[in-house]
Amino acid sequence: MPLTKIADFGVSRLSILDENGKADEKLLPKLTNPQFLDLFTWMTLLRIFDDKALKLQRQGRIGTYASSLGQEACTVGSAFALKPQDWTFPTFREHGMFFVRGTPIVKVLQYWGGDERGSQSTSDVNCFPVSIPVGSQPLHAVGCAMAMQLKKKDAIAVGYFGDGGTSEGDTLEAMNFAGVFQAPVILICQNNQYAISEPRSLQTRAQTIAQKAIAFGFEGIQVDGNDVLAVYKATLDAAEKARAGKGPTLLEFFTYRMGDHTTADDSTRYRTKEELEMWRKKDPILRLRMYLMAQGILFPQMEEKIIAECVALVEKGVSDYENMPAPQPSDMFDYLYKEMPPALAEQKRNFLSFLSTQKNNAQPNKTEGPGFP
Amino acid sequence: MPLTKIADFGVSRLSILDENGKADEKLLPKLTNPQFLDLFTWMTLLRIFDDKALKLQRQGRIGTYASSLGQEACTVGSAFALKPQDWTFPTFREHGMFFVRGTPIVKVLQYWGGDERGSQSTSDVNCFPVSIPVGSQPLHAVGCAMAMQLKKKDAIAVGYFGDGGTSEGDTLEAMNFAGVFQAPVILICQNNQYAISEPRSLQTRAQTIAQKAIAFGFEGIQVDGNDVLAVYKATLDAAEKARAGKGPTLLEFFTYRMGDHTTADDSTRYRTKEELEMWRKKDPILRLRMYLMAQGILFPQMEEKIIAECVALVEKGVSDYENMPAPQPSDMFDYLYKEMPPALAEQKRNFLSFLSTQKNNAQPNKTEGPGFP
Amino acid sequence: MKANMVQALNNALALELESNPNLVVLGEDVGIDGGVFRVTDGLQTKFGKNRVIDTPLAESAIIGTSIGMAAFGLNPVAEVQFSGFLYPGFDQLISHAARIRNRSRGRFSCPLTVRSPYGGGIKAPEHHSESMEALFIHTPGLKVVVPSNPTDAKGLLTSAMRDPDPVVFFEPLRVYRAFREEVPDEQYTIPLGQAKVTQQGNDLTLISWGSMFRTSMEAVQQIAENEKYSIEMIDLRTLSPIDWPTIHSSIQKTGRCVVVQEAPLTLGLASEIMARVMEKNFLHLKAPVQRVTGFDTIMPLYKLENYYLPNAERVKEAIRKAMAF
Amino acid sequence: MKANMVQALNNALALELESNPNLVVLGEDVGIDGGVFRVTDGLQTKFGKNRVIDTPLAESAIIGTSIGMAAFGLNPVAEVQFSGFLYPGFDQLISHAARIRNRSRGRFSCPLTVRSPYGGGIKAPEHHSESMEALFIHTPGLKVVVPSNPTDAKGLLTSAMRDPDPVVFFEPLRVYRAFREEVPDEQYTIPLGQAKVTQQGNDLTLISWGSMFRTSMEAVQQIAENEKYSIEMIDLRTLSPIDWPTIHSSIQKTGRCVVVQEAPLTLGLASEIMARVMEKNFLHLKAPVQRVTGFDTIMPLYKLENYYLPNAERVKEAIRKAMAF
Ligand SMILES: Cc1ncc(C[n+]2csc(CCOP(=O)(O)OP(=O)(O)O)c2C)c(N)n1
Ligand SMILES: Cc1ncc(C[n+]2csc(CCOP(=O)(O)OP(=O)(O)O)c2C)c(N)n1
Ligand SMILES: [Mg+2]
Ligand SMILES: [Mg+2]
């Protein structure tokens, strides 16, 4: 028995809408016209929100902000394929997912405005809060999926991460646990080609992210992440599979971050205009728009109306945010434990009584400017 | 462009000597007769050492011990393929590698005898010390390989880990760094089918460990780990490749831990006699012995002589160990920093002066018996 | 029943698995092997593989998935095989388990217990013997418990498993099988955050926990033979949150204090006790608080471990020093 | 040259890359991006991709491979993007970087510098603002440095890079670009383990480090306007090993002490200072040592961070309390 081939693996790529908005009819997901329009509307809302958030940041009305420009199809399409009882585990670039699943815009602004209450979300929306340590979140999704499995619930979990996130041991451990326990989970990589300044090629020598699933004995698929129909279909299929007890799927959404990493970043330092231009042609909203227009599902007047509605929603969110009373210093203490230990209560008491001796409860420190990479 | 296959991968298995000692002549590595005998001798020495160490442990002369019974081909064959300038990074089950590379038996006994000096090894032997946290060692091998690459040295690094070790994020991160930096490293998994009580199937859903390399864009090969010639050849090939600047290789040595995990373990709790019997037939030493006898390279008288020499070497190691003066309490302090900080020097001074007030410098605590899983 | 600490813990787990259908035990070798120290012995056979789960060898994933489970209705009890292997899971503990309630303003929580054998004295190889509880005490959002005997172990573990917040539960290796005592058969809890005054006294307050409580007892017994000090002994039991009122009122009575810890000296828990005592009882103090600790060096391999560990002689020396001041 | 701390650090790195061919800089975005705070700006262009290495996004691997490099002739300077991201690499730091010299009885060593921006005050999102230096101070085998100004930053980083043992080098975010000062152009070192007495005084010893040194200065300047206290100010600079003689001799003179830290109260470095002061200077103390600290809670998102951080008002209150005792 010399050198024998003992296993074979392949990786496939799913794509439905091409860059000109032409669809592969065989693969087209079954969606009603209102559903098609919903996808368009959510992506449009997200883009308008993004644009607004960047302005708010420049005006100092929110802090550092991470735009998802160009990646709208990924979060909108995947969230659209889920059921309300499913759970999602974001990083920090899934605003679209939050919106589609029902989170009020004000909450997302609060988070980026440095107000913890934004992370509380609303109790009827099944999203875990944003958290920043890259790669650490997918494990929570897998744990949640294991809980759903053990409690025999008809719910699945979805964990998001970036291409950079695939380098963290935690993400890889999450894949391994997902495989071993055949957890009802979808692990979604928004491969937007960059982790801050580092191109995908510096993260891993693997040709695709999807093939990482091979290491853990389950299926990985690459999906055109600028094609909302492919994203939707891939997520729906993976969700059905998970619900049927057939285990996890790794989805690599192949996309591109059109904006800076965050408002603290300057992407002209590390990438070319040509690259941007190339990707601009693959715009996910444009592509769906062309398809819907060609199908007669969308037409200019309707588009204008959708845009106007989205603008109004975002403006409403902004004014809700700005009318929100400030968080209280006591909030720092109140949510650490279910029952506050006496020594912590003492710290709180002392601090509040100290504050009460200060003019207007002023915060006498100056904060020296945003710096979130 | 529907669902398109975009990548293909395969995993192969290398095997040269079958269970009856018949070799695949095409794959046979070029070894001289004395080299063949060396392989046999080292494996024999290792087995005799293992047996002795178990006895010493039972008699309380060393602490908890991790036997490598059944895995002799893995450490002996791989170490035999390396050059003296190469560096090896063990876990705790690579005694064979230590011996082949020139570590005196006494050092290995000292380590397991709870004496730090055993980890110092000898300065002309290029081995990193044993360390216990599973999965944490391969990163050091990759870092060493990167150093060799940057310093343009003609040396490679070899990192060992177990099947259990492949579940740790650190091991996977090591694979990823190895791939990205095309580090001259061989990552060797002794897949002995168990991590303490947990069978390989509980570690990962992947059919092979070798395929984990696919996730990181380099080659992984499964090797019959009870076939010292296959182990030797696979390591030699991977070493040549690394030396030629062609990057890392993952080698999965498919073997079996014939003994308990350590002397603190009782493997009858979790595995069957039948399984053991099945693997006994694949004994790596027996297999090489049959081959060498058939080739006329080894014959009974010579074998007896080899065994006698190994026994003598081991006995010598044991007596060296037992004649070693005890480590000094001051040793606890002396190797932490190159220069001892004054406050630590004060701790040391105070403690030694306290000790000097005690009867015979006695250690008045009782130690309550070994417990190393 | 007569039980050593291992048996008492096993019993606590069995009773809680019985009474709480959401409790799951997970970790490396916790199943058929019953854990490498046999704390989970027999539990998988009795409660099945869905309740007592052998996981892959990955501490970060054990803790990380436990967080997901805990947030969604389960009460995971994760075993980390030795406390030195908590480090790979440190980020999940610090960044997530300890923070999810605060991060979500109370919407999510993490009723997770992480059990881990800890401390020296059993001739274990490296990374198996250190006492790094301070790392977890310093981390806001965690609770930290260390029992010193089987009875407390059972009651404290039961409380930990029912606690709405994450608890790191350290089991002193040296005490595991050191002795047996009568432990109540039924389920009971011992509240977290309450120290136990095991012996009243007027001259000096002796504070310790885990295996050092026994070392301290030994010292007190030995010293009682000749010196007639009246020593108040406090077994801290919960290291976070700490029962400060018990400590302070004892020191207000005695004016003298010795703290004994296995951990390294610098920023071990003794430091915090000394700091608070200074803050609250400065004028009551008749002598500086003395501490008996491990050294600021790596816990050595076993041939030297008994030099590293505080022993009764060192505790007696500290008591005498405090008394003589 | 006039330089802020970022520029001073950049300069220290450039000079050392120039003079030590074995020095390599590695981390996330340290290359073409120059690090997210630009501390490594321009270095890759000047020294090439073999000396200034962009790594995959994995802190454990950054530290773990650095250990391998350090043991084999290189001097790695690893950047971890924020100190809150040290936790995934915690095991490599604790179990290996800090131990390899001891484990190998001196055969191998780990001349590694881990640089990491730390602390609050710049409106960064979560996990970017906490101050957990105590974890590393408690760990035997590491050194810990925190500069408070550009000049010290350059000299201390140069020492750290030449140190034969692993150094965790925390760079206070709030100081990065807060001010510029004249920094010597040439290479120089400031020895690790030496605190700086920046102002002599007789009434009270004020100890701080990093950004809290500036907050303390502010308090001292404000208080000087009305109250005529003579305050001795110590900038600790190295937190492990600590310059105890400087602390003790100052307190022997003043008898009063305030420690200011950004870190949580429980088991922050102030606790250890209080403990040692009690041990060594019990009879010199005229008042209990006061500490001004962060709270035992999670560093909040930015709308509340300035409540969390100690400020000059709180420092002044502590000074008055110590003086009034
Ligand atoms: C553990 C950790 N290390 C470093 C960072 C700093 N950081 C924030 S985002 C980011 C890049 C993430 O890249 P990727 O995963 O591809 O996600 P993307 O930003 O592209 O959405 C880095 C390095 C972090 N948040 N967490
Ligand atoms: C990080 C860590 N977790 C747990 C352990 C305890 N432990 C020691 S060996 C072992 C099993 C290792 O299995 P494997 O990697 O297959 O190596 P083998 O023992 O089979 O050689 C475990 C869990 C450890 N040493 N390190
Ligand atoms: Mg990315
Ligand atoms: Mg194994």
Side-chain angles (χ1 to χ4, degrees):
Chain A
M1 292 171 294
L3 196 64
T4 328
K5 196 76 160 304
I6 52 172
D8 260 307
F9 308 97
V11 171
S12 298
R13 178 180 165 105
L14 178 69
S15 167
I16 298 177
L17 273 185
D18 71 14
E19 288 181 29
N20 304 314
K22 295 259 166 352
D24 182 316
E25 298 292 337
K26 291 184 307 298
L27 293 168
L28 210 60
K30 282 186 209 72
L31 289 168
T32 63
N33 286 0
Q35 284 178 313
F36 273 119
L37 287 172
D38 274 354
L39 286 174
F40 179 76
T41 305
W42 284 122
M43 290 202 286
T44 303
L45 176 79
L46 179 55
R47 185 159 294 180
I48 290 168
F49 173 82
D50 242 344
D51 188 58
K52 185 73 191 182
L54 292 177
K55 292 207 181 81
L56 294 175
Q57 191 280 334
R58 275 197 295 273
Q59 296 161 357
R61 292 153 73 191
I62 63 170
T64 310
Y65 175 72
S67 144
S68 65
L69 187 70
Q71 302 178 220
E72 290 88 351
C74 299
T75 50
V76 167
S78 58
F80 202 75
L82 302 179
K83 298 193 177 176
Q85 72 266 31
D86 298 334
W87 281 94
T88 44
F89 295 78
T91 68
F92 44 79
R93 212 183 285 286
E94 284 81 20
H95 325 306
M97 176 281 287
F98 275 105
F99 294 152
V100 172
R101 306 205 74 209
T103 311
I105 290 175
V106 58
K107 286 285 177 186
V108 177
L109 284 174
Q110 272 182 297
Y111 175 79
W112 295 98
D115 179 348
E116 226 95 36
R117 292 171 301 178
S119 288
Q120 193 178 19
S121 192
T122 34
S123 60
D124 54 342
V125 178
N126 283 6
C127 304
F128 227 46
V130 167
S131 81
I132 303 277
V134 168
S136 63
Q137 308 93 347
L139 282 169
H140 310 154
V142 175
C144 169
M146 289 169 73
M148 298 304 148
Q149 189 182 45
L150 291 169
K151 303 189 86 168
K152 303 203 190 333
K153 295 231 169 135
D154 176 39
I156 67 161
V158 176
Y160 290 90
F161 48 97
D163 44 320
T166 65
S167 298
E168 288 281 2
D170 268 15
T171 306
L172 300 164
E173 290 186 7
M175 292 185 196
N176 192 43
F177 268 54
V180 166
F181 294 107
Q182 291 292 290
V185 68
I186 312 176
L187 295 168
I188 291 183
C189 179
Q190 290 203 61
N191 173 5
N192 64 3
Q193 314 304 329
Y194 282 90
I196 310 188
S197 71
E198 296 192 22
R200 216 291 274 139
S201 58
L202 286 182
Q203 289 305 329
T204 177
R205 182 92 176 179
Q207 328 162 221
T208 69
I209 301 288
Q211 77 201 54
K212 290 185 186 284
I214 296 170
F216 308 105
F218 60 93
E219 192 190 8
I221 304 169
Q222 194 181 71
V223 179
D224 182 341
N226 286 20
D227 169 359
V228 72
L229 301 185
V231 165
Y232 171 78
K233 181 175 163 45
T235 312
L236 194 71
D237 291 351
E240 271 170 21
K241 172 178 146 192
R243 247 181 268 283
K246 295 188 181 146
T249 310
L250 170 63
L251 298 179
E252 173 189 3
F253 293 163
F254 197 87
T255 183
Y256 192 79
R257 193 193 80 210
M258 293 298 293
D260 292 332
H261 171 68
T262 66
T263 49
D265 176 48
D266 170 11
S267 60
T268 63
R269 289 175 76 96
Y270 52 81
R271 60 186 191 182
T272 62
K273 273 203 199 108
E274 291 68 39
E275 192 179 290
L276 267 174
E277 278 320 307
M278 199 262 282
W279 277 95
R280 207 181 300 280
K281 298 197 191 102
K282 300 181 195 285
D283 188 299
I285 301 187
L286 200 64
R287 208 187 283 195
L288 181 65
R289 180 176 183 276
M290 288 190 285
Y291 174 74
L292 295 182
M293 292 263 184
Q295 301 289 316
I297 301 175
L298 181 72
F299 43 88
Q301 248 182 316
M302 186 192 263
E303 186 183 22
E304 272 167 43
K305 191 167 151 268
I306 289 174
I307 291 176
E309 281 168 8
C310 289
V311 168
L313 274 171
V314 169
E315 290 304 332
K316 170 78 167 52
V318 173
S319 75
D320 287 352
Y321 164 67
E322 303 218 306
N323 291 327
M324 197 56 79
Q328 291 305 303
S330 57
D331 292 357
M332 291 195 295
F333 300 90
D334 289 346
Y335 299 97
L336 194 59
Y337 298 99
K338 177 130 195 219
E339 265 185 70
M340 197 181 296
L344 186 59
E346 186 185 329
Q347 285 181 40
K348 176 181 166 186
R349 259 194 325 276
N350 290 346
F351 179 58
L352 294 183
S353 90
F354 166 78
L355 267 190
S356 69
T357 67
Q358 304 290 301
K359 287 195 223 72
N360 323 320
N361 277 7
Q363 305 177 38
N365 284 323
K366 288 179 305 289
T367 276
E368 294 171 65
F372 168 51
Chain B
M1 293 168 295
L3 196 64
T4 328
K5 195 78 161 301
I6 52 171
D8 261 307
F9 308 96
V11 171
S12 298
R13 178 180 165 103
L14 178 68
S15 168
I16 298 177
L17 271 186
D18 71 14
E19 288 182 27
N20 304 313
K22 295 257 165 357
D24 183 317
E25 299 291 335
K26 292 184 307 296
L27 292 169
L28 209 60
K30 283 186 207 75
L31 289 169
T32 62
N33 286 1
Q35 284 177 313
F36 273 119
L37 286 173
D38 274 354
L39 286 174
F40 180 76
T41 305
W42 285 121
M43 290 203 286
T44 303
L45 176 79
L46 178 55
R47 186 159 293 179
I48 290 168
F49 173 82
D50 243 344
D51 188 59
K52 184 72 190 183
L54 292 177
K55 292 207 180 82
L56 293 175
Q57 191 280 333
R58 274 197 295 274
Q59 296 161 356
R61 292 153 74 190
I62 63 172
T64 310
Y65 174 73
S67 144
S68 64
L69 188 69
Q71 302 177 222
E72 291 87 352
C74 300
T75 49
V76 168
S78 57
F80 202 75
L82 301 179
K83 297 192 177 177
Q85 73 265 31
D86 298 334
W87 281 94
T88 44
F89 295 77
T91 69
F92 44 80
R93 213 182 286 286
E94 284 81 20
H95 327 305
M97 176 281 288
F98 276 105
F99 294 152
V100 171
R101 306 205 75 209
T103 311
I105 291 175
V106 58
K107 287 285 176 186
V108 177
L109 284 173
Q110 270 181 298
Y111 175 79
W112 296 98
D115 180 348
E116 227 96 35
R117 293 171 299 178
S119 287
Q120 193 179 19
S121 192
T122 36
S123 60
D124 54 344
V125 179
N126 284 6
C127 304
F128 227 47
V130 167
S131 81
I132 303 278
V134 168
S136 64
Q137 308 93 348
L139 282 170
H140 310 153
V142 175
C144 169
M146 289 169 73
M148 297 305 149
Q149 188 181 45
L150 291 170
K151 303 190 85 170
K152 303 202 188 338
K153 295 230 167 132
D154 176 38
I156 66 161
V158 177
Y160 291 91
F161 48 98
D163 44 320
T166 66
S167 297
E168 288 281 2
D170 269 15
T171 306
L172 300 164
E173 290 187 7
M175 292 184 196
N176 192 41
F177 267 54
V180 166
F181 295 107
Q182 290 292 291
V185 68
I186 311 176
L187 295 169
I188 292 183
C189 178
Q190 290 202 62
N191 172 5
N192 63 5
Q193 314 304 329
Y194 282 90
I196 309 188
S197 71
E198 297 192 21
R200 216 290 275 140
S201 57
L202 286 182
Q203 290 304 329
T204 177
R205 183 92 175 178
Q207 330 163 219
T208 68
I209 301 287
Q211 77 200 51
K212 291 185 186 281
I214 296 170
F216 309 105
F218 60 93
E219 191 189 8
I221 304 170
Q222 193 181 71
V223 179
D224 182 342
N226 286 19
D227 169 358
V228 72
L229 301 184
V231 166
Y232 171 78
K233 181 176 163 47
T235 311
L236 194 70
D237 291 350
E240 270 170 20
K241 172 177 145 193
R243 246 181 269 283
K246 294 187 183 147
T249 310
L250 170 63
L251 298 179
E252 173 189 3
F253 294 162
F254 197 88
T255 182
Y256 192 80
R257 193 193 80 210
M258 293 298 293
D260 291 333
H261 170 68
T262 65
T263 49
D265 176 48
D266 170 10
S267 61
T268 62
R269 289 174 76 95
Y270 52 81
R271 58 186 192 183
T272 62
K273 274 205 201 106
E274 291 67 39
E275 192 179 291
L276 266 174
E277 279 320 308
M278 200 260 281
W279 278 94
R280 207 181 299 283
K281 298 198 191 101
K282 300 180 195 284
D283 188 300
I285 300 187
L286 201 63
R287 207 185 285 195
L288 182 65
R289 180 177 181 275
M290 287 190 285
Y291 174 74
L292 295 183
M293 293 265 183
Q295 299 291 316
I297 301 175
L298 181 71
F299 43 88
Q301 247 181 317
M302 186 193 262
E303 186 183 23
E304 272 167 44
K305 192 166 150 268
I306 289 173
I307 292 176
E309 279 167 9
C310 290
V311 169
L313 273 170
V314 169
E315 289 304 331
K316 169 78 166 54
V318 173
S319 74
D320 286 352
Y321 164 67
E322 303 219 305
N323 291 326
M324 198 55 82
Q328 291 304 303
S330 57
D331 293 355
M332 291 194 295
F333 300 90
D334 290 345
Y335 299 97
L336 194 60
Y337 298 99
K338 178 132 193 217
E339 265 185 69
M340 196 182 297
L344 187 59
E346 187 186 328
Q347 284 181 41
K348 176 180 166 185
R349 259 195 324 275
N350 290 346
F351 180 58
L352 294 183
S353 90
F354 167 77
L355 268 190
S356 69
T357 67
Q358 303 291 300
K359 285 195 225 73
N360 322 319
N361 278 8
Q363 303 177 39
N365 283 322
K366 286 179 306 289
T367 277
E368 293 171 67
F372 168 50
Chain C
M1 64 189 183
K2 272 269 189 209
N4 63 24
M5 189 182 277
V6 168
Q7 293 160 332
L9 290 165
N10 180 275
N11 181 243
L13 288 164
L15 293 174
E16 197 68 11
L17 276 162
E18 190 84 49
S19 63
N20 177 0
N22 290 319
L23 196 89
V24 294
V25 168
L26 74 165
E28 299 156 14
D29 306 294
V30 297
I32 187 169
D33 202 36
V36 293
F37 290 102
R38 308 287 177 255
V39 172
T40 58
D41 198 18
L43 298 179
Q44 192 180 63
T45 313
K46 187 141 177 227
F47 298 97
K49 291 191 175 178
N50 282 343
R51 306 285 306 283
V52 181
I53 305 168
D54 274 325
T55 67
L57 209 175
E59 289 74 15
S60 193
I62 291 171
I63 297 173
T65 54
S66 290
I67 291 167
M69 293 186 212
F72 296 95
L74 296 182
N75 293 100
V77 183
E79 174 172 306
V80 169
Q81 221 157 63
F82 274 93
S83 68
F85 307 140
L86 282 163
Y87 311 141
F90 202 64
D91 186 48
Q92 288 294 341
L93 261 177
I94 299 249
S95 303
H96 296 289
R99 297 191 188 194
I100 185 63
R101 181 187 292 280
N102 184 71
R103 178 182 294 142
S104 66
R105 301 282 95 170
R107 180 173 177 207
F108 299 102
S109 64
C110 187
L112 159 67
T113 306
V114 179
R115 293 181 36 246
S116 191
Y118 112 121
I122 63 150
K123 284 190 172 186
E126 70 160 343
H127 291 287
H128 294 70
S129 303
E130 66 234 50
S131 297
M132 294 293 268
E133 65 268 28
L135 306 177
F136 306 94
I137 302 171
H138 183 57
T139 302
L142 298 178
K143 297 185 178 179
V144 181
V145 176
V146 185
S148 72
N149 60 63
T151 309
D152 280 2
K154 179 175 170 181
L156 290 166
L157 180 58
T158 305
S159 291
M161 292 188 288
R162 295 177 185 181
D163 198 274
D165 289 305
V167 179
V168 181
F169 193 91
F170 286 122
E171 302 166 1
L173 273 166
R174 200 143 53 129
V175 184
Y176 258 167
R177 298 173 187 282
F179 64 99
R180 286 148 56 93
E181 65 182 10
E182 198 52 43
V183 172
D185 287 318
E186 71 281 4
Q187 262 189 319
Y188 58 94
T189 58
I190 295 175
L192 304 190
Q194 291 188 9
K196 186 158 83 181
V197 178
T198 62
Q199 172 179 313
Q200 307 267 349
N202 296 312
D203 295 336
L204 182 140
T205 303
L206 181 54
I207 302 174
S208 59
W209 54 92
S211 82
M212 285 298 113
F213 177 75
R214 299 184 66 225
T215 301
S216 303
M217 277 284 277
E218 211 183 308
V220 168
Q221 279 154 7
Q222 289 173 15
I223 217 167
E225 291 171 18
N226 301 303
E227 290 130 300
K228 292 279 158 272
Y229 305 139
S230 162
I231 294 178
E232 179 140 316
M233 287 206 62
I234 299 181
D235 179 353
L236 221 43
R237 304 198 297 195
T238 300
L239 311 191
S240 176
I242 287 181
D243 182 355
W244 294 113
T246 297
I247 292 176
H248 292 313
S249 66
S250 175
I251 289 173
Q252 278 155 21
K253 177 170 61 170
T254 61
R256 291 185 157 85
C257 179
V258 170
V259 186
V260 187
Q261 73 188 20
E262 221 169 298
L265 177 122
T266 298
L267 284 177
L269 179 54
S271 318
E272 186 59 36
I273 296 174
M274 292 164 84
R276 303 247 184 173
V277 166
M278 184 197 278
E279 283 172 338
K280 299 266 175 172
N281 292 313
F282 191 65
L283 297 178
H284 288 99
L285 277 182
K286 300 177 192 150
V289 177
Q290 303 292 320
R291 54 181 160 176
V292 183
T293 73
F295 304 108
D296 284 332
T297 179
I298 313 295
M299 178 76 177
L301 289 187
Y302 83 76
K303 282 228 164 84
L304 292 176
E305 76 171 338
N306 285 341
Y307 288 104
Y308 184 93
L309 295 171
N311 59 28
E313 291 305 321
R314 289 179 59 204
V315 177
K316 284 190 283 181
E317 193 203 24
I319 292 173
R320 293 189 183 116
K321 224 165 140 183
M323 293 309 303
F325 188 86
Chain D
M1 64 188 185
K2 272 267 188 215
N4 63 24
M5 189 183 276
V6 169
Q7 294 161 331
L9 291 165
N10 180 276
N11 181 243
L13 288 165
L15 293 174
E16 197 67 10
L17 276 161
E18 189 84 50
S19 63
N20 177 0
N22 290 320
L23 196 90
V24 293
V25 168
L26 75 165
E28 298 157 14
D29 305 293
V30 298
I32 188 169
D33 202 37
V36 293
F37 290 102
R38 308 284 179 255
V39 172
T40 58
D41 199 17
L43 298 180
Q44 192 180 62
T45 313
K46 188 142 177 227
F47 297 98
K49 291 191 177 180
N50 282 341
R51 306 286 306 284
V52 181
I53 306 168
D54 274 326
T55 66
L57 210 175
E59 290 74 16
S60 193
I62 291 171
I63 297 173
T65 55
S66 290
I67 291 166
M69 293 186 212
F72 296 96
L74 296 181
N75 292 100
V77 182
E79 175 172 307
V80 169
Q81 222 157 62
F82 274 93
S83 68
F85 306 140
L86 281 163
Y87 310 141
F90 203 64
D91 185 48
Q92 287 293 341
L93 261 178
I94 299 250
S95 302
H96 295 291
R99 297 191 188 195
I100 185 63
R101 181 187 292 280
N102 185 70
R103 177 182 293 142
S104 66
R105 300 285 93 170
R107 181 175 177 204
F108 298 102
S109 63
C110 188
L112 159 67
T113 306
V114 179
R115 293 181 37 246
S116 191
Y118 113 121
I122 63 151
K123 285 189 171 187
E126 70 161 342
H127 291 286
H128 295 71
S129 303
E130 66 235 49
S131 297
M132 294 292 267
E133 65 267 28
L135 305 178
F136 305 94
I137 303 171
H138 183 57
T139 302
L142 298 178
K143 298 185 177 178
V144 181
V145 175
V146 185
S148 72
N149 60 63
T151 309
D152 280 2
K154 179 173 169 181
L156 289 166
L157 181 58
T158 305
S159 290
M161 293 188 287
R162 295 178 185 179
D163 199 273
D165 288 305
V167 179
V168 181
F169 193 91
F170 286 121
E171 301 166 2
L173 273 166
R174 200 144 51 130
V175 184
Y176 258 168
R177 298 173 187 282
F179 65 99
R180 286 148 56 94
E181 64 181 10
E182 199 51 43
V183 173
D185 286 319
E186 71 283 3
Q187 261 188 319
Y188 58 93
T189 58
I190 295 174
L192 304 191
Q194 291 188 9
K196 185 158 85 181
V197 179
T198 62
Q199 172 179 314
Q200 306 267 348
N202 295 313
D203 294 337
L204 182 141
T205 304
L206 181 54
I207 302 174
S208 60
W209 54 93
S211 82
M212 285 298 112
F213 177 75
R214 298 184 65 224
T215 301
S216 302
M217 276 284 277
E218 212 183 307
V220 168
Q221 279 153 9
Q222 290 172 15
I223 216 167
E225 293 170 15
N226 301 305
E227 290 129 301
K228 292 279 156 275
Y229 304 138
S230 162
I231 294 178
E232 178 139 317
M233 288 206 61
I234 299 181
D235 180 354
L236 221 42
R237 304 199 296 194
T238 301
L239 310 191
S240 177
I242 288 181
D243 183 355
W244 293 114
T246 297
I247 293 176
H248 291 314
S249 66
S250 175
I251 289 174
Q252 277 155 23
K253 178 170 63 171
T254 61
R256 290 183 158 87
C257 179
V258 171
V259 187
V260 188
Q261 74 187 20
E262 220 170 297
L265 177 120
T266 298
L267 283 177
L269 179 54
S271 317
E272 185 60 36
I273 296 175
M274 292 164 83
R276 302 247 185 175
V277 166
M278 183 196 281
E279 284 172 336
K280 298 266 175 174
N281 292 313
F282 190 66
L283 296 178
H284 288 101
L285 277 182
K286 299 176 191 148
V289 177
Q290 303 291 321
R291 52 181 161 175
V292 184
T293 73
F295 304 107
D296 284 333
T297 178
I298 314 295
M299 178 77 176
L301 289 188
Y302 83 76
K303 282 229 163 84
L304 293 175
E305 76 170 337
N306 286 341
Y307 288 103
Y308 184 93
L309 295 171
N311 59 28
E313 291 304 322
R314 289 179 61 204
V315 177
K316 284 190 284 181
E317 194 203 25
I319 293 173
R320 293 187 184 117
K321 224 166 140 184
M323 292 308 304
F325 188 86

